[in-house]
Amino acid sequence: MSKILISGCGITFSGERPTWTKVLKIAGLDIVDVSGPAISNQLIVNQLLEKVYQDDFKHVVCQLTSFGKLDVEMNKKNKWLMEKDSLRNFTYKGYWPSSHSDEDPVKKNYRDYLYSPTLEQQDLVYKLLLLQHQCNNKDIKLHIIQGYALEWTVNLINHLDFNKDFNIYDMYKQSEHYEKHDFSNQNTVPNKSFQIFLAKHICEKYLMIKNNNLEKFRE
């Protein structure tokens, strides 16, 4: 089966919950998953770029997350910020996926005075254009999928080939699976039954792979 590179946030990360990526792995697809829990678009795309320049793949799936998240490189001076956070008190590959947390004044002040949404979007679009360019050069099929609804304001977004009107979470909320969603701990990761449905959807619509093993999974 073709090698598939995938990156995204908790919607996609196969390391903890039964996500669509894990379903496809169990079904036998050859997947390299560099997703992470609660990580920002910066890490999502950075890790894809690093892998695409290092190796060859048939498909690359980039699941974008919401804007405004912040990943913080951990050191001795800022470790306490992560440890005292009531929700995002964990690290991922040496980073604190602080997401939108603003419990501490340090993070709240960043949000109120330093966060620059236009620069964030510009950086993301430029990296996605680079990713698209490299995938085209290596004959890799790139699939950019929004995890949540994103309001794009950077004009260069029109040079990226993906459906800006579709996102996974809206599909989830409109499905029968959403009725059983666990809202504890501000959880936004779709439940297991939807993840199985999503695995089948992505496999057929984007990867265009017919996998009989997926039929064994019950939504």
Side-chain angles (χ1 to χ4, degrees):
M1 199 65 77
S2 303
K3 189 187 291 186
I4 303 163
L5 174 64
I6 293 174
S7 187
C9 64
I11 291 176
T12 294
F13 181 49
S14 61
E16 296 178 346
R17 302 181 181 183
T19 61
W20 65 271
T21 310
K22 183 172 288 185
V23 172
L24 292 184
K25 281 185 175 182
I26 296 172
L29 274 67
D30 186 5
I31 290 176
V32 176
D33 180 20
V34 292
S35 306
I39 63 174
S40 72
N41 286 315
Q42 183 178 30
L43 262 183
I44 288 171
V45 181
N46 283 359
Q47 295 186 129
L48 286 178
L49 281 168
E50 184 174 355
K51 288 291 185 181
V52 166
Y53 273 90
Q54 291 176 347
D55 204 351
D56 294 320
F57 301 90
K58 183 65 177 177
H59 297 272
V60 168
V61 179
C62 176
Q63 178 256 298
L64 297 176
T65 190
S66 55
F67 296 138
K69 289 184 174 182
L70 179 66
D71 297 320
V72 181
E73 188 172 357
M74 287 283 90
N75 57 51
K76 293 180 180 179
K77 292 184 178 180
N78 62 21
K79 187 179 179 182
W80 63 271
L81 270 172
M82 177 272 295
E83 292 177 335
K84 69 178 293 189
D85 193 272
S86 64
L87 184 62
R88 307 296 183 194
N89 50 10
F90 58 87
T91 60
Y92 168 77
K93 295 185 177 179
Y95 296 94
W96 171 37
S98 70
S99 191
H100 301 94
S101 171
D102 61 358
E103 293 178 354
D104 191 273
V106 172
K107 186 76 187 298
K108 190 176 189 310
N109 286 337
Y110 162 78
R111 176 77 53 196
D112 292 343
Y113 300 107
L114 300 176
Y115 171 58
S116 305
T118 300
L119 285 176
E120 180 191 16
Q121 275 207 39
Q122 288 177 340
D123 287 347
L124 175 58
V125 171
Y126 300 156
K127 286 179 180 179
L128 288 172
L129 286 169
L130 176 59
L131 178 63
Q132 181 174 265
H133 175 75
Q134 183 66 3
C135 286
N136 288 339
N137 284 346
K138 301 185 73 172
D139 196 26
I140 299 171
K141 295 177 182 178
L142 173 63
H143 313 283
I144 301 173
I145 307 173
Q146 296 177 143
Y148 304 93
L150 300 176
E151 185 176 345
W152 297 98
T153 59
V154 178
N155 290 333
L156 281 177
I157 190 65
N158 296 319
H159 291 269
L160 288 165
D161 184 18
F162 74 99
N163 186 355
K164 288 84 176 175
D165 297 322
F166 171 80
N167 72 84
I168 292 172
Y169 207 72
D170 279 351
M171 174 191 265
Y172 177 44
K173 288 193 294 185
Q174 294 164 11
S175 75
E176 60 185 78
H177 308 281
Y178 189 68
E179 298 176 0
K180 301 177 182 178
H181 183 75
D182 175 16
F183 290 93
S184 63
N185 294 324
Q186 303 177 37
N187 175 42
T188 59
V189 177
N191 57 32
K192 181 179 179 180
S193 61
F194 179 79
Q195 293 282 7
I196 295 171
F197 167 82
L198 183 59
K200 295 176 181 177
H201 174 78
I202 290 177
C203 194
E204 294 178 6
K205 181 176 176 62
Y206 295 94
L207 306 179
M208 295 185 180
I209 297 173
K210 181 65 176 177
N211 187 293
N212 294 329
N213 290 331
L214 286 175
E215 300 307 317
K216 301 176 183 178
F217 290 86
R218 293 185 178 180
E219 298 173 18

mmCIF file of all heavy atoms in Angstrom, residues 17-20 23 172 177 180 189-198 217-219:
data_model
loop_
_atom_site.group_PDB
_atom_site.id
_atom_site.type_symbol
_atom_site.label_atom_id
_atom_site.label_comp_id
_atom_site.label_asym_id
_atom_site.label_seq_id
_atom_site.Cartn_x
_atom_site.Cartn_y
_atom_site.Cartn_z
ATOM 1 N N ARG A 17 -6.112 8.907 21.088
ATOM 2 C CA ARG A 17 -7.506 8.537 20.905
ATOM 3 C C ARG A 17 -7.705 7.770 19.595
ATOM 4 O O ARG A 17 -6.852 7.791 18.721
ATOM 5 C CB ARG A 17 -8.380 9.794 20.922
ATOM 6 C CG ARG A 17 -8.233 10.580 22.217
ATOM 7 C CD ARG A 17 -9.120 11.800 22.218
ATOM 8 N NE ARG A 17 -8.961 12.563 23.456
ATOM 9 C CZ ARG A 17 -9.653 13.641 23.740
ATOM 10 N NH1 ARG A 17 -10.548 14.096 22.895
ATOM 11 N NH2 ARG A 17 -9.455 14.279 24.888
ATOM 12 N N PRO A 18 -8.859 7.095 19.474
ATOM 13 C CA PRO A 18 -9.152 6.353 18.239
ATOM 14 C C PRO A 18 -9.543 7.301 17.108
ATOM 15 O O PRO A 18 -10.721 7.490 16.809
ATOM 16 C CB PRO A 18 -10.323 5.447 18.648
ATOM 17 C CG PRO A 18 -11.003 6.193 19.753
ATOM 18 C CD PRO A 18 -9.909 6.910 20.496
ATOM 19 N N THR A 19 -8.558 7.921 16.489
ATOM 20 C CA THR A 19 -8.818 8.876 15.418
ATOM 21 C C THR A 19 -8.885 8.178 14.060
ATOM 22 O O THR A 19 -8.564 6.999 13.932
ATOM 23 C CB THR A 19 -7.702 9.929 15.366
ATOM 24 O OG1 THR A 19 -6.447 9.272 15.096
ATOM 25 C CG2 THR A 19 -7.601 10.683 16.691
ATOM 26 N N TRP A 20 -9.283 8.927 13.042
ATOM 27 C CA TRP A 20 -9.390 8.376 11.687
ATOM 28 C C TRP A 20 -8.036 7.870 11.189
ATOM 29 O O TRP A 20 -7.979 6.885 10.442
ATOM 30 C CB TRP A 20 -9.965 9.427 10.734
ATOM 31 C CG TRP A 20 -9.103 10.639 10.514
ATOM 32 C CD1 TRP A 20 -9.104 11.788 11.232
ATOM 33 C CD2 TRP A 20 -8.122 10.807 9.486
ATOM 34 N NE1 TRP A 20 -8.177 12.680 10.741
ATOM 35 C CE2 TRP A 20 -7.563 12.099 9.653
ATOM 36 C CE3 TRP A 20 -7.651 10.010 8.456
ATOM 37 C CZ2 TRP A 20 -6.571 12.608 8.823
ATOM 38 C CZ3 TRP A 20 -6.658 10.511 7.617
ATOM 39 C CH2 TRP A 20 -6.129 11.791 7.802
ATOM 40 N N VAL A 23 -7.563 4.452 12.638
ATOM 41 C CA VAL A 23 -8.429 3.505 11.934
ATOM 42 C C VAL A 23 -7.774 3.061 10.623
ATOM 43 O O VAL A 23 -7.748 1.873 10.298
ATOM 44 C CB VAL A 23 -9.815 4.127 11.656
ATOM 45 C CG1 VAL A 23 -10.642 3.216 10.750
ATOM 46 C CG2 VAL A 23 -10.560 4.379 12.958
ATOM 47 N N TYR A 172 -18.944 17.026 11.363
ATOM 48 C CA TYR A 172 -19.217 16.276 12.584
ATOM 49 C C TYR A 172 -20.495 16.767 13.260
ATOM 50 O O TYR A 172 -21.377 15.984 13.625
ATOM 51 C CB TYR A 172 -18.018 16.407 13.519
ATOM 52 C CG TYR A 172 -18.151 15.744 14.870
ATOM 53 C CD1 TYR A 172 -18.690 14.460 15.007
ATOM 54 C CD2 TYR A 172 -17.717 16.400 16.026
ATOM 55 C CE1 TYR A 172 -18.793 13.851 16.249
ATOM 56 C CE2 TYR A 172 -17.805 15.787 17.263
ATOM 57 C CZ TYR A 172 -18.350 14.525 17.373
ATOM 58 O OH TYR A 172 -18.450 13.924 18.609
ATOM 59 N N HIS A 177 -23.514 11.389 14.665
ATOM 60 C CA HIS A 177 -22.513 11.014 15.669
ATOM 61 C C HIS A 177 -22.350 12.085 16.744
ATOM 62 O O HIS A 177 -21.951 11.793 17.882
ATOM 63 C CB HIS A 177 -21.163 10.751 14.998
ATOM 64 C CG HIS A 177 -21.229 9.798 13.858
ATOM 65 N ND1 HIS A 177 -21.287 8.428 14.026
ATOM 66 C CD2 HIS A 177 -21.272 10.011 12.516
ATOM 67 C CE1 HIS A 177 -21.348 7.837 12.843
ATOM 68 N NE2 HIS A 177 -21.344 8.774 11.910
ATOM 69 N N LYS A 180 -23.611 12.094 20.578
ATOM 70 C CA LYS A 180 -22.924 11.358 21.642
ATOM 71 C C LYS A 180 -21.577 11.988 22.014
ATOM 72 O O LYS A 180 -20.739 11.343 22.646
ATOM 73 C CB LYS A 180 -22.712 9.904 21.218
ATOM 74 C CG LYS A 180 -24.008 9.167 20.893
ATOM 75 C CD LYS A 180 -23.718 7.760 20.405
ATOM 76 C CE LYS A 180 -25.005 7.030 20.035
ATOM 77 N NZ LYS A 180 -24.727 5.663 19.514
ATOM 78 N N VAL A 189 -12.424 16.997 20.078
ATOM 79 C CA VAL A 189 -12.044 15.876 19.204
ATOM 80 C C VAL A 189 -13.278 15.015 18.933
ATOM 81 O O VAL A 189 -13.926 14.544 19.872
ATOM 82 C CB VAL A 189 -10.932 15.019 19.841
ATOM 83 C CG1 VAL A 189 -10.608 13.823 18.954
ATOM 84 C CG2 VAL A 189 -9.681 15.860 20.070
ATOM 85 N N PRO A 190 -13.626 14.802 17.663
ATOM 86 C CA PRO A 190 -14.801 13.971 17.335
ATOM 87 C C PRO A 190 -14.714 12.583 17.942
ATOM 88 O O PRO A 190 -13.625 12.032 18.125
ATOM 89 C CB PRO A 190 -14.757 13.915 15.810
ATOM 90 C CG PRO A 190 -14.060 15.171 15.404
ATOM 91 C CD PRO A 190 -13.017 15.396 16.464
ATOM 92 N N ASN A 191 -15.869 12.004 18.251
ATOM 93 C CA ASN A 191 -15.907 10.701 18.911
ATOM 94 C C ASN A 191 -15.557 9.551 17.955
ATOM 95 O O ASN A 191 -15.376 9.744 16.751
ATOM 96 C CB ASN A 191 -17.269 10.460 19.571
ATOM 97 C CG ASN A 191 -18.425 10.553 18.571
ATOM 98 O OD1 ASN A 191 -18.290 10.228 17.400
ATOM 99 N ND2 ASN A 191 -19.575 10.998 19.057
ATOM 100 N N LYS A 192 -15.460 8.360 18.534
ATOM 101 C CA LYS A 192 -14.979 7.186 17.807
ATOM 102 C C LYS A 192 -15.844 6.852 16.593
ATOM 103 O O LYS A 192 -15.319 6.541 15.514
ATOM 104 C CB LYS A 192 -14.916 5.979 18.751
ATOM 105 C CG LYS A 192 -14.400 4.707 18.097
ATOM 106 C CD LYS A 192 -14.341 3.573 19.120
ATOM 107 C CE LYS A 192 -13.851 2.280 18.479
ATOM 108 N NZ LYS A 192 -13.803 1.165 19.481
ATOM 109 N N SER A 193 -17.157 6.913 16.738
ATOM 110 C CA SER A 193 -18.035 6.523 15.631
ATOM 111 C C SER A 193 -17.852 7.451 14.430
ATOM 112 O O SER A 193 -17.819 7.005 13.280
ATOM 113 C CB SER A 193 -19.496 6.518 16.082
ATOM 114 O OG SER A 193 -19.908 7.803 16.512
ATOM 115 N N PHE A 194 -17.684 8.753 14.704
ATOM 116 C CA PHE A 194 -17.454 9.681 13.590
ATOM 117 C C PHE A 194 -16.074 9.489 12.987
ATOM 118 O O PHE A 194 -15.890 9.635 11.775
ATOM 119 C CB PHE A 194 -17.614 11.128 14.047
ATOM 120 C CG PHE A 194 -17.354 12.129 12.942
ATOM 121 C CD1 PHE A 194 -18.331 12.384 11.989
ATOM 122 C CD2 PHE A 194 -16.140 12.789 12.854
ATOM 123 C CE1 PHE A 194 -18.090 13.297 10.959
ATOM 124 C CE2 PHE A 194 -15.891 13.696 11.836
ATOM 125 C CZ PHE A 194 -16.880 13.951 10.884
ATOM 126 N N GLN A 195 -15.083 9.168 13.825
ATOM 127 C CA GLN A 195 -13.731 8.954 13.320
ATOM 128 C C GLN A 195 -13.702 7.794 12.316
ATOM 129 O O GLN A 195 -12.982 7.836 11.317
ATOM 130 C CB GLN A 195 -12.768 8.677 14.480
ATOM 131 C CG GLN A 195 -12.543 9.850 15.421
ATOM 132 C CD GLN A 195 -11.580 10.892 14.865
ATOM 133 O OE1 GLN A 195 -11.151 10.827 13.718
ATOM 134 N NE2 GLN A 195 -11.226 11.870 15.685
ATOM 135 N N ILE A 196 -14.487 6.759 12.578
ATOM 136 C CA ILE A 196 -14.581 5.640 11.638
ATOM 137 C C ILE A 196 -15.217 6.103 10.327
ATOM 138 O O ILE A 196 -14.735 5.792 9.238
ATOM 139 C CB ILE A 196 -15.382 4.479 12.259
ATOM 140 C CG1 ILE A 196 -14.633 3.895 13.463
ATOM 141 C CG2 ILE A 196 -15.658 3.393 11.218
ATOM 142 C CD1 ILE A 196 -15.444 2.895 14.274
ATOM 143 N N PHE A 197 -16.300 6.876 10.458
ATOM 144 C CA PHE A 197 -16.945 7.452 9.278
ATOM 145 C C PHE A 197 -15.971 8.333 8.510
ATOM 146 O O PHE A 197 -15.887 8.282 7.269
ATOM 147 C CB PHE A 197 -18.171 8.272 9.702
ATOM 148 C CG PHE A 197 -18.733 9.145 8.624
ATOM 149 C CD1 PHE A 197 -19.595 8.623 7.664
ATOM 150 C CD2 PHE A 197 -18.388 10.490 8.563
ATOM 151 C CE1 PHE A 197 -20.106 9.431 6.662
ATOM 152 C CE2 PHE A 197 -18.891 11.305 7.568
ATOM 153 C CZ PHE A 197 -19.764 10.771 6.615
ATOM 154 N N LEU A 198 -15.204 9.162 9.233
ATOM 155 C CA LEU A 198 -14.245 10.077 8.614
ATOM 156 C C LEU A 198 -13.121 9.317 7.914
ATOM 157 O O LEU A 198 -12.670 9.713 6.830
ATOM 158 C CB LEU A 198 -13.668 11.015 9.668
ATOM 159 C CG LEU A 198 -12.688 12.090 9.189
ATOM 160 C CD1 LEU A 198 -13.346 13.003 8.161
ATOM 161 C CD2 LEU A 198 -12.183 12.904 10.389
ATOM 162 N N PHE A 217 -15.177 -2.047 10.360
ATOM 163 C CA PHE A 217 -15.358 -1.102 11.444
ATOM 164 C C PHE A 217 -16.797 -0.613 11.471
ATOM 165 O O PHE A 217 -17.341 -0.173 10.459
ATOM 166 C CB PHE A 217 -14.434 0.115 11.267
ATOM 167 C CG PHE A 217 -12.970 -0.185 11.487
ATOM 168 C CD1 PHE A 217 -12.190 -0.658 10.438
ATOM 169 C CD2 PHE A 217 -12.390 -0.014 12.730
ATOM 170 C CE1 PHE A 217 -10.843 -0.929 10.623
ATOM 171 C CE2 PHE A 217 -11.047 -0.271 12.927
ATOM 172 C CZ PHE A 217 -10.270 -0.748 11.872
ATOM 173 N N ARG A 218 -17.419 -0.711 12.636
ATOM 174 C CA ARG A 218 -18.793 -0.257 12.780
ATOM 175 C C ARG A 218 -18.824 1.146 13.381
ATOM 176 O O ARG A 218 -18.205 1.407 14.413
ATOM 177 C CB ARG A 218 -19.571 -1.217 13.685
ATOM 178 C CG ARG A 218 -19.757 -2.608 13.064
ATOM 179 C CD ARG A 218 -20.638 -3.469 13.961
ATOM 180 N NE ARG A 218 -20.872 -4.768 13.371
ATOM 181 C CZ ARG A 218 -21.598 -5.726 13.933
ATOM 182 N NH1 ARG A 218 -22.162 -5.483 15.136
ATOM 183 N NH2 ARG A 218 -21.766 -6.893 13.344
ATOM 184 N N GLU A 219 -19.550 2.015 12.743
ATOM 185 C CA GLU A 219 -19.681 3.382 13.230
ATOM 186 C C GLU A 219 -20.607 3.447 14.432
ATOM 187 O O GLU A 219 -20.525 4.332 15.239
ATOM 188 C CB GLU A 219 -20.221 4.284 12.107
ATOM 189 C CG GLU A 219 -19.278 4.348 10.914
ATOM 190 C CD GLU A 219 -19.901 5.102 9.751
ATOM 191 O OE1 GLU A 219 -20.881 5.852 9.975
ATOM 192 O OE2 GLU A 219 -19.445 4.928 8.604
#
